[in-house]
């Protein structure tokens, strides 16, 4: 038998090492490629006041992730598209992001736009998350296993405020709102919840859009002498009229505001009218995770963040967590990892709450994660109640 010479063995060893080195070099560019995450936001349309701060929170999260080394050693690259809150543009933007290699898409625009994006993500099997939208039907109208929602459901927000009312033992209440479609939907939801809990509605008033005063409606509320007033409207101009009339008529019964009052812009347009008003929110500034976020965001951007910034931050961090657990950007593995999310503690939510998707469910905000806060002057103040029970 002919034995291989030492020289030939050395040559073979060099060849193996050379092949391995070439393979590593070939893999390196792919491993160094950034992880692309798409964002569909609204920069000019009706959702802009909400979408832009949510986007800013996601941008901050990406900076923080990249400063720590990215995800699985790869930098995060955000691909941001503006859909102007138009569903027809949303679908085009989604296809553009998929073609650009987005592993995941965050939807930050209005409900119709988010639903339209779902038609694309379902077709292309691209994971999609909306971290701020509160529509109760987002996960039920389209059976899309690639879509999740971590914004607190509108029904959960209402349940929390109703639980607060029960805790305060309010027996006779008034509802005051406006006549926008969303405002009327919110009013009906409050009404149904109050009726189920046996609370008597002694007055129900509507301030029409475009009104210049709410005095006639609030005078009727005063005559009904309720224990508390639920502010069910979602349009800021009409809410300001109601708040102004409430003060000018000298009403003293507690005023309970819905989630619309958690947007800081309210304190600007309703300056001097908010002290003592309570409102439902998803943000507790005293929560340790929220405190760390507030300090870091303020240091980076020079301004203090609020709930909408937190929605975007938590959304991107949840995506990053799923990709990390998936071990890469394979969409099917990322989809499975996101669906398996349990016990993720974010910036938003009451102390002790966490994000997670129960088996077969794609809404991930903790039902007991909402809080009720009180305005102290024109500043959003402390939490006075939490949970929907």
């Amino acid at each position: 038998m002919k034995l291989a010479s030492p020289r030939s063995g050395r040559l073979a060893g060099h060849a193996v090492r050379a092949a391995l080195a070439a393979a590593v070099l070939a893999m390196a560019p792919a491993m160094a490629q950034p992880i692309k995450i798409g964002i569909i936001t609204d920069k000019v349309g009706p959702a802009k006041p909400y979408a832009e701060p949510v986007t800013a929170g996601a941008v901050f999260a990406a900076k923080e992730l990249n400063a720590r080394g990215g995800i699985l050693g790869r930098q995060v690259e955000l691909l941001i598209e503006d859909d102007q809150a138009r569903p027809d543009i949303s679908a085009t933007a989604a296809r553009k992001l998929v073609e650009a290699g987005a592993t995941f898409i965050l939807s930050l625009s209005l409900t119709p736009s988010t639903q339209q994006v779902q038609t694309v993500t379902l077709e292309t099997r691209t994971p999609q998350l909306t971290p701020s939208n509160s529509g109760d039907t987002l996960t039920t109208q389209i059976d899309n296993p690639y879509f999740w929602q971590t914004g607190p459901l509108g029904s959960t927000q209402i349940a929390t405020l109703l639980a607060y009312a029960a805790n305060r033992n309010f027996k006779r209440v008034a509802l005051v709102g406006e006549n926008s479609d969303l405002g009327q939907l919110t009013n009906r939801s409050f009404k149904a919840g109050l009726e189920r809990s046996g609370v008597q509605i002694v007055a129900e008033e509507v301030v029409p859009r475009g009104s210049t005063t709410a005095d006639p409606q609030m005078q009727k509320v005063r005559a009904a002498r309720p224990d508390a007033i639920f502010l069910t409207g979602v349009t800021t101009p009409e809410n300001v009229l109601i708040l102004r009339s409430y003060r000018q008529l000298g009403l003293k019964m507690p005023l309970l505001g819905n989630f619309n009052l958690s947007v800081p812009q309210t304190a600007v347009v309703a300056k001097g009218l908010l002290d003592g008003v309570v409102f439902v929110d998803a943000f507790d500034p005293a929560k340790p995770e929220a405190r760390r976020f507030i300090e870091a965001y303020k240091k980076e951007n020079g301004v203090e963040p609020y709930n909408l910034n937190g929605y975007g931050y938590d959304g991107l961090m949840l995506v990053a967590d799923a990709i990390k657990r998936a071990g890469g950007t394979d969409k099917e593995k990322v989809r499975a990892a996101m669906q398996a999310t349990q016990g993720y503690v974010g910036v938003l939510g009451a102390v002790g709450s966490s994000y997670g998707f129960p088996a077969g469910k794609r809404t991930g905000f903790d039902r007991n994660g909402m809080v009720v806060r009180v305005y102290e002057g024109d500043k959003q103040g402390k939490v006075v109640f939490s949970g929907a029970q």
Side-chain angles (χ1 to χ4, degrees):
M1 183 174 75
K2 185 176 181 180
L3 298 175
S5 69
R7 184 173 181 274
S8 63
R10 286 194 297 273
L11 290 174
H14 288 313
V16 169
R17 286 192 291 273
L20 288 173
V24 170
L25 288 173
M27 291 172 61
M31 294 298 291
Q33 290 296 314
I35 293 176
K36 298 179 180 180
I37 298 173
I39 291 180
I40 298 179
T41 187
D42 176 14
K43 296 182 179 181
V44 297
K48 176 181 177 179
Y50 302 93
E52 283 204 328
V54 179
T55 303
V59 169
F60 174 67
K63 288 181 179 179
E64 199 171 79
L65 284 167
N66 287 337
R68 298 174 187 169
I71 305 172
L72 300 174
R74 297 165 63 183
Q75 293 286 285
V76 176
E77 180 182 350
L78 298 183
L79 309 177
I80 301 177
E81 292 291 328
D82 175 17
D83 73 352
Q84 303 171 36
R86 289 176 50 186
D88 56 328
I89 296 179
S90 299
T92 301
R95 292 194 182 280
K96 182 178 179 181
L97 291 172
V98 172
E99 291 170 1
T103 297
F104 215 113
I105 293 177
L106 289 178
S107 293
L108 313 181
S109 192
L110 295 180
T111 295
S113 298
T114 298
Q115 293 292 58
Q116 194 62 37
V117 172
Q118 279 205 64
T119 64
V120 177
T121 56
L122 177 59
E123 176 192 336
T124 61
R125 299 185 176 184
T126 301
Q128 175 193 357
L129 172 73
T130 179
S132 52
N133 199 306
S134 60
D136 277 70
T137 60
L138 279 168
T139 62
T140 59
Q141 290 184 340
I142 300 176
D143 185 14
N144 181 2
Y146 296 88
F147 173 80
W148 301 270
Q149 175 182 12
T150 52
L153 297 179
S155 59
T156 298
Q157 299 178 27
I158 291 170
T160 301
L161 206 53
L162 292 175
Y164 170 76
N167 179 265
R168 295 291 303 275
N169 201 32
F170 297 142
K171 300 295 186 182
R172 305 171 71 257
V173 303
L175 300 179
V176 184
E178 35 75 23
N179 60 352
S180 70
D181 290 343
L182 182 56
Q184 286 299 290
L185 175 62
T186 303
N187 191 83
R188 289 195 296 272
S189 298
F190 270 105
K191 186 175 181 179
L194 288 165
E195 290 173 345
R196 283 195 300 270
S197 61
V199 176
Q200 182 183 4
I201 299 172
V202 297
E204 186 175 354
E205 296 296 325
V206 176
V207 179
R209 298 290 304 277
S211 296
T212 57
T213 180
D215 284 354
Q217 291 82 5
M218 296 304 287
Q219 286 169 348
K220 293 179 182 178
V221 169
R222 180 174 61 181
R225 302 178 67 180
D227 297 332
I229 301 171
F230 280 90
L231 186 59
T232 64
V234 297
T235 56
T236 299
E238 285 67 40
N239 279 343
V240 171
L241 291 177
I242 295 167
L243 288 164
R244 183 176 295 122
S245 181
Y246 173 85
R247 297 298 181 189
Q248 291 176 346
L249 293 175
L251 302 184
K252 300 300 182 183
M253 64 283 292
L255 186 61
L256 285 62
N258 63 51
F259 49 87
N260 181 263
L261 266 65
S262 72
V263 179
Q265 183 64 19
T266 300
V268 177
V269 297
K271 187 176 178 62
L273 303 175
L274 291 163
D275 187 48
V277 174
V278 301
F279 61 99
V280 68
D281 198 2
F283 194 49
D284 180 359
K287 181 180 177 181
E289 292 79 8
R291 286 203 306 269
R292 187 209 63 78
F293 168 68
I294 290 169
E295 292 170 3
Y297 190 98
K298 189 173 182 179
K299 182 178 180 181
E300 173 70 24
N301 297 292
V303 295
E304 188 166 311
Y306 54 100
N307 56 0
L308 294 180
N309 303 127
Y311 285 124
Y313 181 88
D314 277 359
L316 194 70
M317 287 302 190
L318 279 161
V319 171
D321 178 68
I323 293 173
K324 183 178 179 180
R325 285 185 287 110
T329 56
D330 179 271
K331 290 183 179 180
E332 286 300 326
K333 291 181 179 179
V334 172
R335 184 206 64 77
M338 178 58 78
Q339 187 62 59
T341 299
Q342 294 293 334
Y344 184 94
V345 179
V347 166
L348 294 179
V351 174
S353 67
S354 62
Y355 294 102
F357 300 105
K361 301 293 184 181
R362 289 177 283 115
T363 54
F365 190 86
D366 194 325
R367 177 169 171 77
N368 288 305
M370 297 300 292
V371 299
V372 177
R373 298 174 64 188
V374 61
Y375 269 97
E376 298 167 351
D378 292 319
K379 183 176 176 59
Q380 295 182 0
K382 63 181 179 295
V383 169
V384 295
F385 185 82
S386 64
Q389 298 176 346

